[in-house]
Amino acid sequence: MKATLDLYRRLIGVQIRSQLQYRAAFLTDLIGQGMATGIWFLSLALILQRFESIGGWSLGEVAFLYGTVETAFGTMDMIFSGFDPRFFGQQVRRGTFDQLLLRPVSITLQVLGSEFVLRRMGRIVQGVAILAVAVTLTDVRWTPLKLAYLPVVLTSLVCFFGGLFIIGSTITFWTIESIEVVNIFTYGGSELMSYPMHIYQEWMRRFFTYIVPAIFLNYYPALFILDKPDPFGLPPFAPFLAPAAGFGVLAAGLALWRFGIRHYQSTGS
Amino acid sequence: MRLFWELCKLAFRRQLTYRAATLAGLTTNFFFGLLRAALMAALYGTRQEVAGISLAAAVTFTGLTQATIGYLSLFSWYEVMNSVYTGDISSDLLKPMDYFLFWLAQDLGRAIVALLMRGLTMMAAYALIFDVVWPHGAAQWLALAVALALSWLVSFSWRFLINLAAFWTPGAQGVGRFIFGLSWFTSGFLMPLRFFPDWFQHLCNLTPFPAMINTVVEVYLGVLTSPKLIQALLGQALWAVILIGAGQLVLRAGVRRLVIQGG
Amino acid sequence: MSSIVTVTNLEKHFKVYKHHRGFWGALRNLATREYTLVRAVDGISFEIQKGELVGYIGPNGAGKSTTIKMLAGLLVPSGGELWVNGRVPWKKRRRHVARIGAVFGQRTTLWWDLPVIESLDLLQHIYQIPPDRFRQNLAEFRELLELDPFLNTPVRSLSLGQRMRADICAALLHDPALLFLDEPTIGLDVIAKERMRQFIRHINSQRSVTVLLTTHDLSDVEKLCERVMIIDHGRLLFDGELASLRDRFGGQRELVVEFAEPYQDIAVDGAQAAEQDGRWAIYRFERNAVTASELIGRLSARYRIRDLSVREPDIESTVRRIYEERLLES
């Protein structure tokens, strides 16, 4: 176990060092990543000056949804970038994936260690800032349970997005055409989750409740933390399904990944 | 001149072969369109009209913006940058053609295919699901055509200009990402600029971005009447001239640098 | 077992799905799934003993890389048995891979953006090489392969020859018992090729590394391997000593003659005058039809000869003959 962590540390150390090589470019990227998040929020704030609310939710409440997604997605994107289907798909096509099979260490570890995008810190910091603004604007009535649950929600979100990335990458063993569809779930999904679920058409909402359990990952926890009523009448434990949903998707992703590797070894491409 | 059209046709044909990517792109566009339409409806609530734009028009807007993504290569365009980094630029510069026109021709071919295959298809798909607003009358369609052509020109000159950063720094992609991201918000892509406070609109108008999207949107939705309409189109033309001119100057400086540095 | 590799009736079949074009074709693709079965490896058996240096040759598409991939543990066979170092390669991937080394001429095993030495350091941790052993091996390879000039250069900036040297060093740092070399001299200039061959000979004789060499460069085989295996269409056509290959199939030999004067007619029984230029002539004769000494006797009986030499067929033309004339098809 220790050797594994040590190797992971070394592998990402390599990534970090090479990224920090070009200081100026790195800083620009870092700020750019953060700016996108910040500017979005400002635009939303300006828009809401005219519209007052999004489906009844105030700026602060929407910001809570947005902040959790940005923080978690940024964190996931930093850590799981090795599994970004776009890059992974290229690796498989070029044949450099074989290299990983020839080394006496876990393949998953190698893929994780192959990319560590430090500049995502920009997005993470902005996400946390927006979350802080949200909490202030909505004047949350904190309880120990809520305080303890928030980091669980964020971790579950990271696992959720990570699992989607892993699934997307595994699919590239079979076909590279699917990457765009996966993007709909990761990038599309994260934008979807930034707004309250009740604004979407019913079929979309059902899909993101029962097939891809996105609704449990930030909407329901938001209902709980912000003390808002549930418009869909799900059982009272619904807000606490976040870890199940998040880790569930991650577990499914890893299972598919293992299957994918076995398939790759059978067919060689 | 002949070379220009040859290059254009080549790029046109090449873009036609990217069928799988086009289909995938359309699916993504459609998804985001649905998302934004839902958001728009949620914002409108019980309102029928905001800033002269009806709900149906606002929903049409969400489809329209998605439809233009491919056409204007909104999210990324790093062709020139890449050719500088790979060194291909040396052979490109030797070609008997103005470098700017060389890329303009290729982008035109690509853009036309994108407009037809992604733009029109997107609007058609939208029409099946939503109550879509179309331009009225020949004059409006003509104005739309002009606006679309000019917006492409502005967008291309802008993308070309940004790519020239590659002559000065190896990190130009980061600069590009930053600026493409910025253009998102100020172009009227997220929301029609009319929805924003006046001071924000004035700020945006200092940039070429509204000339890329917002003008097209407003012409399409018919919220502009002459003389505002003519003003907007002239504005686009002006930006095109400014950006093309800036591009020429920066290109010359960049090529001089390239030659001195030895690539 | 002293045999380090045991292969019995190894098979690998691929399903190549028929790909229909166009829109209706795409629908058909989903519905039917017709395929052809490609037998990339079709029942191969052989054994390699510890310390051997074996050449593995065959035309493109013969099944060479498929075999190597199975031996390396990258690919699961469709049938037959395969043991390397007493293990089934794909079943115990990590343990298997820790004991083998591989160099692929076309791709590098190193990290593209890192200086060579940093890649090697990473590999030390990946293979968990004891520090002393690592230092020792590194020092030896640095000297033998002359790595010092570019040890701190990123791999992406290396020339092909430098990269190959770095790759082979990387493949041997963890003291593998078996080394797969896939096209190790491809693209190298003559001097670099010779150095690489010297190094391979060295590690095989001094470090007892068993080497399996796949290559298109038949002079590699000629200079390095005593034993050679020829594969074509997934089947092993020949497995034996290089010398016997030459004996059995190196049919045509050449006799280069310098006559004392430029004769007009230089015909002789049992050989064919292939080329003639002034006083020089090249005769071709079949190994089985006449011996060199017989031919020389006949020639000197009829003509005055100043000098002559016998040329053996090179392995290149011999193997080409085998492929083209299907001499080994049973």
Side-chain angles (χ1 to χ4, degrees):
Chain A
M1 192 61 204
K2 182 172 175 293
T4 313
L5 285 174
D6 184 60
L7 186 61
Y8 180 68
R9 225 179 10 90
R10 276 176 207 279
L11 288 173
I12 64 177
V14 164
Q15 297 297 317
I16 293 177
R17 252 176 298 139
S18 76
Q19 282 167 41
L20 289 177
Q21 243 187 349
Y22 299 107
R23 285 288 167 78
F26 175 73
L27 279 173
T28 325
D29 256 336
L30 185 75
I31 297 176
Q33 293 271 307
M35 277 193 68
T37 308
I39 293 181
W40 179 98
F41 180 68
L42 286 172
S43 310
L44 192 67
L46 289 174
I47 287 283
L48 281 176
Q49 277 183 0
R50 193 189 277 271
F51 287 95
E52 283 153 30
S53 81
I54 297 182
W57 282 45
S58 68
L59 177 67
E61 290 165 341
V62 174
F64 183 84
L65 292 175
Y66 186 62
T68 50
V69 167
E70 285 296 291
T71 310
F73 198 91
T75 310
M76 186 287 293
D77 213 0
M78 184 169 73
I79 301 176
F80 283 85
S81 235
F83 279 102
D84 189 335
R86 286 172 298 180
F87 305 134
F88 189 78
Q90 272 175 19
Q91 256 208 324
V92 171
R93 288 298 158 257
R94 268 192 261 131
T96 49
F97 181 69
D98 282 351
Q99 215 46 261
L100 307 186
L101 292 174
L102 281 173
R103 297 195 187 120
V105 283
S106 144
I107 300 174
T108 314
L109 177 71
Q110 289 186 70
V111 178
L112 272 177
S114 67
E115 289 281 342
F116 188 86
V117 188
L118 198 57
R119 65 171 179 268
R120 304 280 186 234
M121 282 302 286
R123 191 168 179 182
I124 299 174
V125 167
Q126 283 282 303
V128 170
I130 290 180
L131 200 51
V133 168
V135 159
T136 323
L137 284 179
T138 55
D139 207 12
V140 175
R141 276 176 300 155
W142 288 109
T143 66
L145 181 59
K146 286 185 189 178
L147 272 173
Y149 193 49
L150 185 57
V152 174
V153 170
L154 289 171
T155 316
S156 310
L157 266 168
V158 172
C159 293
F160 172 72
F161 289 124
L164 290 180
F165 254 23
I166 294 177
I167 292 175
S169 282
T170 311
I171 297 181
T172 64
F173 280 137
W174 284 272
T175 159
I176 202 160
E177 313 281 343
S178 66
I179 290 179
E180 199 67 39
V181 174
V182 173
N183 282 343
I184 293 184
F185 287 99
T186 46
Y187 298 103
S190 65
E191 179 152 341
L192 180 105
M193 290 163 73
S194 305
Y195 305 109
M197 277 291 189
H198 60 267
I199 70 173
Y200 300 118
Q201 299 91 334
E202 188 163 340
W203 65 267
M204 225 188 222
R205 196 174 29 84
R206 280 184 194 277
F207 183 87
F208 285 100
T209 306
Y210 299 110
I211 303 189
V212 180
I215 202 173
F216 299 108
L217 281 154
N218 73 339
Y219 180 72
Y220 268 93
L223 292 181
F224 167 64
I225 292 182
L226 302 173
D227 296 311
K228 291 181 79 75
D230 173 5
F232 305 121
L234 287 184
F237 58 80
F240 301 101
L241 289 176
F247 288 100
V249 170
L250 181 63
L254 286 172
L256 186 68
W257 167 247
R258 274 191 294 267
F259 174 74
I261 293 182
R262 276 203 308 272
H263 173 266
Y264 182 80
Q265 281 186 292
S266 288
T267 60
S269 64
Chain B
M1 204 54 210
R2 184 83 184 283
L3 189 55
F4 185 90
W5 292 116
E6 287 303 313
L7 277 170
C8 190
K9 269 194 287 184
L10 202 64
F12 182 88
R13 253 177 273 142
R14 203 189 323 141
Q15 194 68 22
L16 277 178
T17 63
Y18 297 151
R19 266 171 310 188
T22 306
L23 187 63
L26 266 172
T27 324
T28 314
N29 290 151
F30 194 67
F31 178 83
F32 278 98
L34 289 179
L35 218 80
R36 303 259 166 79
L39 179 63
M40 201 60 89
L43 281 171
Y44 266 62
T46 50
R47 284 173 263 249
Q48 293 288 31
E49 188 197 288
V50 176
I53 301 181
S54 67
L55 179 56
V59 168
T60 310
F61 163 84
T62 64
L64 201 54
T65 45
Q66 290 298 317
T68 51
I69 288 179
Y71 174 60
L72 296 177
S73 228
L74 271 177
F75 288 171
S76 63
W77 190 79
Y78 301 108
E79 303 273 330
V80 171
M81 212 180 273
N82 287 336
S83 92
V84 172
Y85 291 146
T86 57
D88 286 345
I89 188 169
S90 340
S91 50
D92 287 343
L93 283 171
L94 289 172
K95 296 204 170 92
M97 185 170 188
D98 177 74
Y99 192 64
F100 177 80
L101 289 178
F102 173 70
W103 284 108
L104 187 75
Q106 293 181 66
D107 202 59
L108 182 59
R110 180 205 60 79
I112 296 178
V113 173
L115 184 64
L116 297 173
M117 286 180 74
R118 282 177 75 166
L120 282 184
T121 330
M122 181 68 192
M123 293 313 290
Y126 239 60
L128 289 174
I129 306 215
F130 295 112
D131 207 0
V132 164
V133 164
W134 300 98
H136 306 297
Q140 223 189 328
W141 280 103
L142 181 65
L144 180 63
V146 173
L148 274 173
L150 286 173
S151 89
W152 164 73
L153 197 58
V154 173
S155 150
F156 175 75
S157 338
W158 172 250
R159 281 182 273 134
F160 185 79
L161 187 60
I162 301 184
N163 269 252
L164 296 180
F167 285 116
W168 280 271
T169 162
Q173 248 213 357
V175 176
R177 270 195 292 256
F178 182 80
I179 298 193
F180 281 121
L182 201 63
S183 68
W184 257 52
F185 302 95
T186 50
S187 59
F189 178 78
L190 240 44
M191 293 279 161
L193 286 181
R194 296 181 158 247
F195 288 173
F196 288 95
D198 286 334
W199 63 265
F200 187 79
Q201 292 186 46
H202 288 315
L203 215 67
C204 291
N205 284 326
L206 294 175
T207 71
F209 307 120
M212 294 180 215
I213 305 237
N214 204 56
T215 310
V216 171
V217 164
E218 299 203 332
V219 170
Y220 180 103
L221 294 177
V223 293
L224 290 174
T225 48
S226 356
K228 284 248 168 82
L229 178 61
I230 308 290
Q231 267 180 1
L233 294 176
L234 283 176
Q236 281 183 306
L238 184 63
W239 274 114
V241 167
I242 294 176
L243 289 172
I244 294 176
Q248 291 293 311
L249 288 172
V250 175
L251 178 65
R252 219 164 294 165
V255 171
R256 221 178 307 136
R257 192 163 196 273
L258 187 72
V259 168
I260 294 173
Q261 302 260 317
Chain C
M1 298 189 271
S2 67
S3 58
I4 197 169
V5 176
T6 311
V7 172
T8 319
N9 284 324
L10 192 64
E11 285 179 353
K12 183 61 190 171
H13 303 149
F14 291 111
K15 291 187 189 163
V16 176
Y17 288 98
K18 221 173 159 245
H19 191 82
H20 299 285
R21 313 265 317 274
F23 177 65
W24 297 112
L27 289 179
R28 275 177 75 191
N29 275 335
L30 285 173
T32 55
R33 304 312 263 153
E34 301 167 21
Y35 61 85
T36 46
L37 200 64
V38 172
R39 295 175 195 273
V41 174
D42 198 12
I44 296 186
S45 304
F46 61 83
E47 269 183 38
I48 299 181
Q49 309 296 327
K50 244 194 253 245
E52 284 198 71
L53 211 180
V54 184
Y56 194 50
I57 60 181
N60 282 326
K64 296 194 301 292
S65 8
T66 311
T67 318
I68 300 295
K69 281 191 185 173
M70 286 192 278
L71 289 170
L74 297 177
L75 205 52
V76 177
S78 311
E81 270 184 33
L82 170 57
W83 295 88
V84 177
N85 276 324
R87 288 190 196 95
V88 179
W90 72 93
K91 283 202 183 152
K92 303 238 178 278
R93 185 188 71 84
R94 284 198 222 177
R95 249 168 286 172
H96 165 74
V97 159
R99 302 293 300 131
I100 66 167
V103 179
F104 295 101
Q106 321 273 23
R107 295 195 295 261
T108 180
T109 55
L110 305 168
W111 282 261
W112 201 237
D113 290 313
L114 290 184
V116 173
I117 187 68
E118 285 192 37
S119 275
L120 299 180
D121 279 333
L122 262 178
L123 287 173
Q124 184 206 345
H125 289 102
I126 287 183
Y127 285 98
Q128 295 186 305
I129 310 173
D132 295 331
R133 189 66 191 147
F134 176 72
R135 264 186 297 242
Q136 210 178 345
N137 281 340
L138 185 58
E140 183 178 337
F141 296 140
R142 273 170 70 173
E143 199 191 310
L144 285 173
L145 293 164
E146 293 173 54
L147 300 178
D148 282 346
F150 53 89
L151 211 52
N152 288 308
T153 317
V155 172
R156 63 163 184 267
S157 309
L158 297 178
S159 73
L160 181 63
Q162 292 173 325
R163 207 209 75 206
M164 298 287 324
R165 281 185 274 157
D167 268 324
I168 201 169
C169 169
L172 291 164
L173 283 172
H174 57 282
D175 294 314
L178 174 61
L179 180 67
F180 297 109
L181 293 176
D182 187 53
E183 308 278 2
T185 62
I186 199 170
L188 297 180
D189 63 67
V190 173
I191 297 181
K193 271 195 220 250
E194 192 45 48
R195 289 227 201 98
M196 181 60 81
R197 288 179 197 143
Q198 270 176 9
F199 183 76
I200 296 172
R201 232 177 274 131
H202 171 89
I203 55 153
N204 175 246
S205 60
Q206 301 295 1
R207 283 167 162 259
S208 310
V209 178
T210 313
V211 178
L212 184 59
L213 172 70
T214 32
T215 179
H216 272 294
D217 185 342
L218 292 166
S219 37
D220 278 348
V221 176
E222 201 153 18
K223 303 234 168 107
L224 288 173
C225 311
E226 274 182 9
R227 175 180 165 198
V228 67
M229 297 194 282
I230 303 183
I231 181 174
D232 196 10
H233 289 101
R235 295 216 196 90
L236 206 53
L237 300 185
F238 179 84
D239 180 2
E241 283 179 38
L242 197 58
S244 95
L245 183 73
R246 203 182 281 134
D247 282 341
R248 276 173 70 188
F249 303 103
Q252 278 196 337
R253 307 165 82 191
E254 285 177 356
L255 188 67
V256 183
V257 181
E258 189 194 350
F259 294 107
E261 54 190 82
Y263 292 101
Q264 284 283 52
D265 171 24
I266 57 167
V268 72
D269 222 358
Q272 192 192 22
E275 284 169 49
Q276 189 179 11
D277 179 17
R279 279 205 281 260
W280 290 89
I282 298 181
Y283 291 91
R284 296 223 178 101
F285 61 102
E286 287 291 329
R287 188 183 293 276
N288 307 322
V290 60
T291 65
S293 53
E294 271 175 11
L295 185 61
I296 292 170
R298 290 180 204 169
L299 275 171
S300 33
R302 295 175 80 177
Y303 313 101
R304 279 186 17 241
I305 295 174
R306 189 177 285 174
D307 198 4
L308 48 72
S309 63
V310 178
R311 285 217 288 234
E312 297 295 337
D314 56 55
I315 198 73
E316 173 110 35
S317 45
T318 306
V319 174
R320 206 182 315 124
R321 268 191 77 210
I322 296 177
Y323 296 162
E324 284 167 4
E325 297 171 33
R326 299 171 170 265
L327 291 173
L328 284 164
E329 304 272 301
S330 43

